[in-house]
Amino acid sequence: MSEPLLELRGVNKSFGVVHVLHDIDFAVYPGQVTALVGDNGAGKSTLVKIIAGIYGRDTGDYLFEGKPVEVHGPRDVAALGVEVVYQDLALCDNLDITQNMFLGREQTKGGTLDEPAMEARARETLASLSVRTVKSVRQTVASLSGGQRQTVAIAKAVLWNSKIVLLDEPTAALGVAQTRQVLDLVRRLADRGLGVVLISHNMGDVFEVADRITALYLGRVAADVPTKDVNHSQVVELITAGRSGNLGISENPATASV
Amino acid sequence: MTTDTNESGGTATVADTDFARDSLQAHSLGEAFQAYLNKLRGGDMGSLPAILGLIVLAIIFGLASDTFTTKLNIANLITQAGPICVLALALVPVLLLGEIDLSAGVAGSTGAMTAGLMIVDHGQSWPVAFLGAVVVGAVIGVVIGLLVSRLGIPSFVVTLAFFLGLQGVMLKFIGQGGSVRFDNEFLRGLAIKNVDPTVGWIGAIVIVVVFAGLSLRTYRTQVSQKLQHPPMSVVVLRIAALAVILLGVVWFLNQNRSRNPNFPIEGIPRMLIVVAVLLIVWMFILNRTRYGRYLYAVGGNAEAARRAGINVARIRTSAFVACSMMAAVSGILLAANTGKISPGSGGGNVLLYAVGAAVIGGVSLFGGRGRATDAIIGGLVIATINNGLLLLNNASWINSVVTGGVLLLAASVDAISRRRRSAAGV
């Protein structure tokens, strides 16, 4: 297997007396979709926020392209080429697709906004992701469906030549057809060589697009396995009980020191 | 909306060409008109209701009063509209953020009072006095902005406090029942003097030529880079409409409108020039600069703006600073109109008229929507109601009732179109 793009080694994180993450090892590989699964409270969001630089780590290493890096905030992480697409998408309804994709990073020419260049690049990016459900890059986001908004949010992350995209529950609020579009898009991102992290509760989605599955159970990594080696019910067991057959945490985490 | 359920990664090349044409793009005048109708139906009314209202009001007053349509009255109306329009324009950045500035009228008159006192008591020249007024506005804006953005006090409360407090400050400096003379030749001239007719013609022609040049250049870039663009006929129509309106106004105002044949009054009121310059400046800021884009973004979704790396607190503070500085200019125009500043200047209805003007013109009270031109059109509506009702010799109670009614109507249009937009957006 190729070198991981991003790797966390032995990460611990506590909030006061609550030990949320225990010795987490997590890796994102280029060209692969890594699904991060786990029940509510398993530590998925905390892990994502550590990767995104929003939270610091108590112990453990953060490696990017094999080299340890110091991250002190979301800006450092964005500078590495890691983009996070949050569940609530963070788009401005009153702006159009192009304006949203360039928000905060507008291109200017002679001090004024360079609209032609931005519009052309937005279209290029959407076209390269084979997005064809959006009628025009000058549509306001208010007129888009949930799936289209998700598409715009993902395209925004891709526009900046990011190497890793983290998607937090991208299909949670979508219908069947829209979920289809977004999953296709997720697959295409990985096919372009990006490392994709998919956080999802939906096993159907996970088995469809993920290459690897990392299951969290009560703040520990229960398993980190290729998707083809496990089946649906095994993953559900890993999520709910922390172990499944010879996979998973050996000791009973309920009695382990917390 | 097409949803393709059988799409796979292999169709990328087809999709590229698919996306290369924008299916929303209008190719002919008819399609462009249809697209505009769809936009209206979707709840994006812009300033159309205000323009229609203006036309209806003009017809009603024109029929009811024989003096309304005289050249002298129209010129007067434009001068009266100036301070309201500028104050409405001042409120645009604040309203775009979904905030409100109730103190703008009083802050403007506090600035004007500073200018007046600097000229009368300290013998300063008008540019220094003008600068003083704007600085006073800026200081007021900074304090309001910091209280709103850093302490998180609702802008309604902060600016209400300033509305009350600044009236007290003015009373202290001017004295009960007193007033400050405002008779500097240049500043007072903004309200009572006109521009030489030839200069008016040249200015109008320059604006039309520049607009035409910029429009055609944008069109050519859009076509050559295959970007979304309106059909050529729409571009030409826009240029023609601006030319007709602008040249028509100049032609109308360049005629002698004096009742006394010995003292001709002709030319564009200087007030109109001030308003036009400020309008162009704000159109540029809102449409062509990052700052303008950030105002819309913060008004649309402050959290999204924050995550995009925009300093939301700074944008918020700066909007109040811009508002109060513009308000100071408006206060000077108002003082120039009346020739004096009294402790009550800028209080009472002044601010409410300006908020009403912006909302009537199509600036949303909910933030994120509205253009600079909306404020000017709304200001004209308010000024027309005032001017027309006064000519009909009605009691002032009717004036207030009608203005209130129009504001309510405009706010309803805003709320309804907002609901339509969210319904259409699903």
Side-chain angles (χ1 to χ4, degrees), chain B residues 88 90-103 144-150 152-159 295 298-300 302 312-313 315-320 323 351 355 358-359 363-369:
Chain B
L91 286 167
V92 168
V94 170
L95 290 174
L96 277 181
L97 298 184
E99 308 275 358
I100 187 106
D101 187 350
L102 297 175
S103 69
I144 295 175
L146 289 178
L147 287 172
V148 171
S149 64
R150 306 284 167 178
I153 310 173
S155 55
F156 184 89
V157 178
V158 174
T159 57
L295 282 175
V298 173
V312 174
I315 294 286
R316 216 165 244 149
T317 311
S318 70
F320 283 99
C323 175
L351 184 271
V355 175
V359 174
V363 181
S364 175
L365 280 172
F366 303 99
R369 253 163 220 281

Side-chain angles (χ1 to χ4, degrees), chain A residues 88 90-92 94 99 106 112-113 115-116 119 123 127 130-131 134-136 138-139 142 144 181 184 188, chain B residues 1 3 5 7 12 16 18-19 22 24 226-228 284 288 290 293-294 296-297 300-301 304 307 368 425:
Chain A
D88 52 351
L91 299 173
C92 292
N94 57 336
Q99 292 170 342
E106 286 83 1
T112 61
L113 296 171
E115 297 286 352
E119 188 177 329
R123 172 167 313 170
S130 308
V131 173
V134 179
K135 282 184 183 172
S136 158
R138 285 298 179 191
Q139 252 179 303
L144 299 181
Q181 291 164 22
D184 284 339
R188 258 179 259 127
Chain B
M1 219 143 284
T3 45
T5 49
E7 191 187 344
D16 284 356
D18 265 10
F19 195 77
D22 273 321
L24 267 193
K226 296 195 174 61
L227 302 179
Q228 193 179 341
F284 175 80
R288 308 288 316 158
R290 277 190 179 183
R293 178 67 44 83
Y294 292 170
Y296 284 100
N301 185 343
R307 284 194 203 158

Side-chain angles (χ1 to χ4, degrees), chain A residues 3-5 7 62-70:
Chain A
E3 179 88 346
L5 260 176
E7 200 178 357
Y62 193 120
L63 286 83
F64 192 80
E65 292 179 327
K67 288 183 285 288
V69 284
E70 286 296 315

